[in-house]
């Protein structure tokens, strides 16, 4: 299984939950600035991600979105909900970021972005640079436009000497 899957993940999960993998309360106390029983666990949470290589074709055709989705959430600040599936209506917004996968749905997306005060990043899926620039100009100044998946595909091209 490897040291991460076999040792690290179960230990981190046990510390957060306050229970062993078998469900027993952990004995002992944490001794930081305030002492408390290990069995209480922590309010924080954790999620483990497995990084994989995705082919440019699967990324470019949105076949890898569910595997790329955690990276968007991380890039947007790792707070709030996460967009895990491609939205059927062409766009989605959560607390800190938005995703536009159908540029024809830009108008309702921009309207929702303007209403979402904590939103800081807008991921826009398009291979058309002019269209991306036009959409980016319509976003509020507080929102950073990020074009997907241009950087991934460009990095792949450079790595292969294209």
């Amino acid at each position: 299984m490897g040291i991460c899957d076999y040792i690290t993940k179960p230990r981190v999960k046990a510390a957060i939950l306050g229970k062993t993998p078998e469900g027993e309360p952990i004995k002992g106390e944490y001794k930081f600035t305030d002492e408390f029983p290990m069995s209480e666990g922590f309010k924080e949470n954790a999620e483990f991600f497995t990084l994989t290589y995705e082919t440019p074709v699967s990324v470019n055709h949105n076949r890898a979105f569910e595997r790329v989705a955690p990276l968007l959430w991380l890039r947007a600040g790792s707070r709030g909900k996460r967009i895990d599936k491609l939205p059927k209506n062409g766009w989605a917004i959560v607390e800190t970021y938005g995703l536009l996968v159908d540029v024809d749905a830009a108008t309702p997306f921009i309207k929702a972005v303007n209403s979402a005060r904590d939103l800081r990043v807008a991921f826009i899926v398009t291979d058309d640079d002019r269209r991306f620039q036009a959409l980016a100009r319509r976003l509020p100044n507080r929102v950073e436009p990020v074009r997907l998946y241009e950087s991934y595909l460009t990095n792949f091209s450079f790595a292969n000497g294209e």
Side-chain angles (χ1 to χ4, degrees), residues 27-46:
K27 296 177 179 135
E29 290 192 354
Y30 287 112
K31 298 179 182 187
F32 300 116
T33 52
D34 56 336
E35 293 185 24
F36 60 95
M38 291 181 178
S39 61
E40 287 183 9
F42 293 93
K43 293 178 185 175
E44 292 79 10
N45 60 31

Side-chain angles (χ1 to χ4, degrees), residues 13-162:
K13 184 176 179 182
I16 290 171
L17 298 177
K19 297 179 181 178
T20 67
E22 294 77 30
E24 298 295 321
I26 297 177
K27 296 177 179 135
E29 290 192 354
Y30 287 112
K31 298 179 182 187
F32 300 116
T33 52
D34 56 336
E35 293 185 24
F36 60 95
M38 291 181 178
S39 61
E40 287 183 9
F42 293 93
K43 293 178 185 175
E44 292 79 10
N45 60 31
E47 185 170 349
F48 296 96
F49 301 106
T50 301
L51 297 178
T52 60
Y53 170 79
E54 302 300 332
T55 67
V57 171
S58 65
V59 170
N60 204 24
H61 293 286
N62 287 328
R63 292 187 193 135
F65 182 77
E66 289 179 20
R67 294 181 299 277
V68 174
L71 299 176
L72 303 183
W73 178 77
L74 287 168
R75 168 69 172 74
S78 308
R79 291 189 350 253
K81 293 180 183 176
R82 189 169 74 205
I83 302 168
D84 285 322
K85 296 188 182 296
L86 288 170
K88 292 183 183 190
N89 67 345
W91 62 276
I93 288 185
V94 290
E95 291 88 346
T96 58
Y97 71 102
L99 171 69
L100 177 65
V101 293
D102 179 0
V103 291
D104 291 333
T107 298
F109 174 75
I110 300 287
K111 184 177 180 181
V113 166
N114 284 322
S115 299
R117 294 291 160 216
D118 292 332
L119 193 136
R120 297 290 177 254
V121 181
F123 296 105
I124 301 169
V125 179
T126 181
D127 60 358
D128 184 332
D129 190 50
R130 277 195 262 158
R131 209 161 198 195
F132 171 76
Q133 294 301 326
L135 289 169
R137 283 191 295 276
R138 292 175 61 193
L139 293 170
N141 289 335
R142 65 181 162 72
V143 176
E144 176 189 2
V146 176
R147 184 171 159 199
L148 295 182
Y149 299 97
E150 178 192 30
S151 61
Y152 178 89
L153 297 172
T154 302
N155 289 342
F156 181 81
S157 296
F158 286 132
N160 285 315
E162 295 177 8

